[in-house]
Amino acid sequence: MLEIFFRDFKQLLHIKSFVGTSENAVMIQIWTALITILILKALRAQSKFNWHPSNLVAFIRLNLFVKIEL
């Protein structure tokens, strides 16, 4: 399970190293990545299409700040 998390952490989120060096900074980055991965897996499970995780990340990045009229 831990190996899968770090594989997803590095591959999906394109994180090669930790930003901070303190224990708190590393823990914040790990928790943020874990939450992000869980949200992506939940979105993939709810999607009508069988998105590959990297395609879903790319789609979200492209459309994150697109203004949509409600």
Side-chain angles (χ1 to χ4, degrees):
M1 178 77 173
L2 192 60
E3 295 89 8
I4 294 171
F5 165 70
F6 278 105
R7 184 196 68 205
D8 288 349
F9 183 75
K10 291 169 77 176
Q11 289 178 351
L12 287 178
L13 304 177
H14 301 289
I15 297 173
K16 303 298 178 198
S17 63
F18 291 107
V19 177
T21 56
S22 70
E23 179 183 354
N24 189 42
V26 171
M27 291 302 291
I28 288 171
Q29 192 167 359
I30 289 173
W31 278 107
T32 304
L34 180 60
I35 292 167
T36 304
I37 290 169
L38 291 173
I39 289 171
L40 287 172
K41 288 185 185 280
L43 286 173
R44 184 176 181 213
Q46 292 178 357
S47 175
K48 294 178 184 176
F49 305 105
N50 189 16
W51 289 86
H52 190 272
S54 61
N55 292 342
L56 185 58
V57 170
F59 180 77
I60 291 171
R61 278 188 186 146
L62 288 173
N63 293 293
L64 189 59
F65 295 107
V66 174
K67 183 178 180 181
I68 298 172
E69 291 294 331
L70 301 176

